Amino acid sequence: MKFQDGGRTRSGHRAWLAVLVALLPAFACSKALQGGETLVHGQVRYEVPGGGLYPVRFARGEVFDENGLGRPARTYISSTDEQGFYEVAVDNEADPDGSGADVRVVVYTRGAMSSYRGARSSVCNVIGGRRGLAYSISSRRYPDNSARELEISFLVELADAGAWGVYESVVEAFVKSVDLLGITNPALPGLVVWRPHAGRAHYNVRALHLPEGKEWQRDLIFHEYGHHIEAMVGFGDGDVGTNCHWRSCYDLREQPDCAAPGAILRQGPQQAMNLAFREAWPTLFAIASQLGDTGYPGSGDAWYDDGDF
């Protein structure tokens, strides 16, 4: 049976979910169930402009056995795989009232550690709202489950899928850093994405600030992730240095010097060349790492669509 179910993001926004719930006959699966366990499993997908559906990969999930008011919930940690599938075995005889597991599932725009090829990274955490928490989707509560299996799958519709599109773009950029550049030991640390953010998109030491309306600009997100690679691996520093806030990093053109009001900041040839390289390499990464990957909207061609001008 397929129906609409409501959920909320951690940032307080309403997210409408298409939740498919089915109790299926037993089948051979990757987890060996013990007596008194229910296999909770499903797939997490989101909708992109144009109507395509894509999996949410390597995302942290939590399966709660909620035992009623005044009783702490038992939490099982899981994560989605490359196709957006998750599964976890839940003890369905653990409730003090003698009932089966009272199951609720939550999935976050937050990566799971070491989920891709063992690389030690949490990949990404897309946050927003006043409290700066990860976005999330939640199922309703399914009480008293004692069957061998319970499927709970999510489809985040386009109107609420922006944060999930951003998350997936960062995940793809991380995957390319591992597959194409071999950055695995140490792996790139997780990137925190603030969304929405006022002003233009920019990178600032393990954080990407992304304005509203740029959620589907994959080239732009890849470019900013290229700055993350530069900063974490430590190349392209040169005469400009490593400090993203240093005034010589701001612009190649002459402009007022914020450190000396009334003066004009002029960059020397070495600074100009170095800064030009630091901006050009992320653009090259954005184009080259996606070249031929035409299965996702706006990716795979040889054109760079910045979307930030």
Side-chain angles (χ1 to χ4, degrees):
M1 182 174 64
K2 190 173 184 179
F3 62 97
Q4 295 289 324
D5 194 4
R8 289 188 179 273
T9 65
R10 288 285 295 274
S11 60
H13 299 294
R14 185 86 175 163
W16 290 102
L17 316 174
V19 180
L20 174 65
V21 180
L23 295 177
L24 305 175
F27 67 95
C29 58
S30 59
K31 287 188 177 295
L33 292 177
Q34 306 296 319
E37 287 185 336
T38 294
L39 182 69
V40 180
H41 64 98
Q43 186 182 27
V44 186
R45 297 180 299 167
Y46 69 103
E47 184 179 10
V48 302
L53 304 180
Y54 291 84
V56 176
R57 300 171 292 171
F58 315 131
R60 178 186 174 94
E62 295 177 347
V63 180
F64 298 99
D65 178 5
E66 299 183 327
N67 301 315
L69 294 175
R71 296 176 178 175
R74 185 172 181 179
T75 305
Y76 299 81
I77 305 300
S78 183
S79 63
T80 59
D81 64 14
E82 287 193 79
Q83 298 300 318
F85 290 102
Y86 74 93
E87 61 179 28
V88 62
V90 174
D91 186 350
N92 61 31
E93 294 181 345
D95 287 1
D97 60 5
S99 68
D102 301 317
V103 172
R104 184 171 66 91
V105 179
V106 180
V107 183
Y108 302 91
T109 55
R110 175 183 174 189
M113 180 65 72
S114 303
S115 53
Y116 184 67
R117 293 179 55 181
R120 290 284 299 171
S121 175
S122 58
V123 184
C124 179
N125 186 15
V126 181
I127 61 177
R130 295 179 180 178
R131 299 176 62 190
L133 299 176
Y135 293 82
S136 67
I137 49 177
S138 174
S139 74
R140 66 173 176 84
R141 177 175 171 268
Y142 297 93
D144 198 16
N145 290 280
S146 57
R148 296 286 286 174
E149 295 178 32
L150 173 65
E151 181 182 341
I152 303 178
S153 292
F154 298 88
L155 173 59
V156 187
E157 296 179 341
L158 180 61
D160 300 296
W164 301 89
V166 173
Y167 171 82
E168 262 298 306
S169 290
V170 176
V171 168
E172 182 65 12
F174 173 80
V175 167
K176 293 300 174 61
S177 77
V178 173
D179 292 350
L180 301 181
L181 303 179
I183 304 176
T184 58
N185 187 24
L188 295 172
L191 179 69
V192 176
V193 182
W194 291 83
R195 172 198 173 269
H197 175 80
R200 294 175 58 182
H202 65 279
Y203 173 79
N204 179 21
V205 191
R206 295 181 62 175
L208 166 58
H209 301 264
L210 193 67
E212 188 74 44
K214 304 299 183 183
E215 296 85 354
W216 307 109
Q217 298 287 347
R218 180 165 273 206
D219 284 357
L220 172 62
I221 295 172
F222 265 63
H223 173 94
E224 299 302 336
Y225 197 85
H227 286 305
H228 185 51
I229 295 174
E230 287 178 331
M232 295 299 102
V233 175
F235 74 92
D237 296 332
D239 191 50
V240 178
T242 59
N243 185 355
C244 295
H245 290 297
W246 191 40
R247 62 187 184 276
S248 293
C249 293
Y250 290 163
D251 204 311
L252 288 174
R253 298 163 295 185
E254 295 183 354
Q255 61 179 335
D257 187 345
C258 60
I264 295 295
L265 172 65
R266 293 181 175 87
Q267 298 184 341
Q270 290 300 318
Q271 292 174 336
M273 287 188 290
N274 186 209
L275 184 55
F277 173 82
R278 286 176 61 169
E279 287 299 322
W281 188 88
T283 299
L284 174 64
F285 170 75
I287 297 172
S289 62
Q290 299 182 82
L291 197 61
D293 294 346
T294 57
Y296 195 88
S299 65
D301 58 33
W303 299 94
Y304 178 70
D305 302 315
D306 188 288
D308 200 33
F309 290 97

